[in-house]
Amino acid sequence: MSDFRLGLVLGGGGMRGFAHIGALAALAERGWEPAEIVGTSIGALVGAAWATGFSLEESAALALSMRRKDLFQIAHADMAFKRMRSPALYRPEPLEEVVTGLLGDATFRDLPRRLVVATVEINSGTQAFFGLPGLDDVRVADAVYASCALPGFFPPREIGGRWWVDGALVDNLPVRLAAARGHDAVVGVDVGASSVLRADTQEAGFAGIFARATEIIFQQASEWHLKRWSGPPLLLVQPRVEHVPQFSFDHTRELIDEGQRATRLALAQAGDAVRAGRPGIHPHRKVLVQVNRERCIGCGVCVSMEPEQFRMDASGKAVGPEAPVEWSPVDGGFVRQCPTYAITARPVPAPAAAPSTAGESTGTGRGSA
């Protein structure tokens, strides 16, 4: 695929981002070598390992060796003496040691592969992508730390006299930046996983509640950006990692494997659509949308979100599309927004292959596949 420029975007999602390693492995199986990785938060860290020249085996071994204490150590002194003016819940030194140990003092210009790291300046709200021309003379380790510095959890990082934090504050999956870089196609790996229903978040304490809140905010922003996609073909990979807590280190092998499985599946379902340059977000699927009339309370949220697919009938109940509809991975957000869970969407099974007629020649000598 040397004549095919692929941009790979790795989003944030805490330790769920170890799934990115598996995604890279699945792409490598197909011979899909990224021309560039754009990373946010944990995606920036995994992307930096790739850009530095780490093999996938080395990246997986590093991920599997990491423990909570390697990154998350409570800033007891700051919280005791500064109280409400403490800059963050966790000390910066452990994260600094990890990224510096991985990347050293290399600048973006020193990297053997192209990397772009998404950050946000906390005072102005300015979004910046370190690694782009004019922003490539800084230490990669500083940019990666900044991209991982979720406000409230880690202190901001000073770069060039300004203070930078997690790029997910503006866009957790910056596929538009990748599109603007002139790639023929983009693959985005979304590990945000905020759409899943959770239980007892209100009992999880400050860190758990705040982490859940950021999940919701980041997901809504990502959906807004993706709904307006007009760039080159986009393969959107969404590993099933929603059951894993953001800061859990007990599922690393599972996450890597799931990233590989989900990427293989998305590639298979998309077929040749991405490589052939077909616009839109892939893979597509057909689903049957149904409204449970007993649960429907007639609030009209579905109609306000998707007026082309829903309407209210004479009895004040929602009515969905009668025939199966074709969805991309970003369609169907109204399902989880229904306050009574009255809407379901079920995949339509692919039609079974017609059986071959006994004795009929297929031209291959093997019969029907």
Side-chain angles (χ1 to χ4, degrees), residues 18-346:
F18 288 143
H20 293 320
I21 300 171
L24 279 164
L27 292 173
E29 291 172 352
R30 283 287 190 98
W32 287 32
E33 175 69 16
E36 177 178 73
I37 286 183
V38 180
T40 300
S41 197
I42 186 74
L45 182 61
V46 173
W50 170 87
T52 304
F54 274 58
S55 69
L56 294 176
E57 293 77 12
E58 290 171 329
S59 294
L62 178 62
L64 289 164
S65 71
M66 294 184 69
R67 298 294 179 264
R68 184 178 179 85
K69 63 181 177 60
D70 296 327
L71 289 177
F72 301 108
Q73 296 180 17
I74 300 293
H76 291 293
D78 280 346
M79 296 179 71
F81 294 105
K82 296 182 180 179
R83 298 182 182 274
M84 294 300 293
R85 295 188 65 82
S86 174
L89 179 61
Y90 297 112
R91 298 171 57 231
E93 291 84 4
L95 178 57
E96 289 172 344
E97 290 174 6
V98 168
V99 295
T100 301
L102 179 68
L103 304 169
D105 292 324
T107 69
F108 286 89
R109 295 174 181 174
D110 299 324
L111 296 176
R113 293 167 169 167
R114 294 286 308 166
L115 174 70
V116 177
V117 172
T119 62
V120 172
E121 207 279 316
I122 192 64
N123 289 300
S124 65
T126 300
Q127 186 179 31
F129 295 98
F130 288 105
L132 294 181
L135 294 171
D136 56 359
D137 59 345
V138 303
R139 284 201 333 150
V140 180
D142 287 333
V144 170
Y145 172 94
S147 192
C148 292
L150 180 63
F153 286 84
F154 288 105
R157 169 49 50 97
E158 187 269 331
I159 302 175
R162 303 174 75 182
W163 296 90
W164 303 91
V165 296
D166 194 339
L169 293 186
V170 173
D171 190 353
N172 196 36
L173 194 70
V175 290
R176 293 184 305 163
L177 186 279
R181 298 281 288 156
H183 299 298
D184 296 308
V186 176
V187 173
V189 185
D190 179 11
V191 294
S194 72
S195 60
V196 68
L197 177 65
R198 301 199 185 279
D200 301 323
T201 299
Q202 71 280 0
E203 305 294 336
F206 162 77
I209 293 173
F210 186 74
R212 177 57 177 161
T214 58
E215 279 186 335
I216 296 170
I217 293 169
F218 296 165
Q219 183 70 22
Q220 292 297 316
S222 288
E223 288 183 1
W224 188 90
H225 291 305
L226 289 168
K227 278 289 190 180
R228 289 153 180 79
W229 180 254
S230 60
L234 169 62
L235 182 73
L236 185 60
V237 181
Q238 297 173 309
R240 297 300 305 269
V241 296
E242 59 269 16
H243 62 289
V244 178
Q246 277 199 69
F247 305 126
S248 171
F249 289 82
D250 298 329
H251 301 79
T252 303
R253 181 75 263 172
E254 174 191 348
L255 290 166
I256 295 172
D257 291 345
E258 171 56 17
Q260 188 169 21
R261 183 207 66 82
T263 306
R264 285 172 173 168
L265 179 62
L267 286 165
Q269 290 178 334
D272 64 350
V274 176
R275 187 68 177 86
R278 296 174 192 165
I281 300 178
H282 305 276
H284 290 177
R285 56 180 176 152
K286 285 190 175 182
V287 297
L288 181 62
V289 180
Q290 295 179 314
V291 178
N292 184 316
R293 294 184 64 81
E294 292 183 1
R295 288 187 176 182
C296 179
I297 57 175
C299 66
V301 169
C302 55
V303 178
S304 68
M305 294 184 67
E306 294 289 345
E308 294 181 357
Q309 296 192 40
F310 288 89
R311 62 181 176 82
M312 305 302 290
D313 65 12
S315 64
K317 300 283 187 175
V319 177
E322 295 182 1
V325 295
E326 188 171 277
W327 278 1
S328 79
V330 298
D331 291 316
F334 54 79
V335 173
R336 70 173 183 276
Q337 297 296 341
C338 177
T340 59
Y341 308 109
I343 305 173
T344 59
R346 303 185 186 282

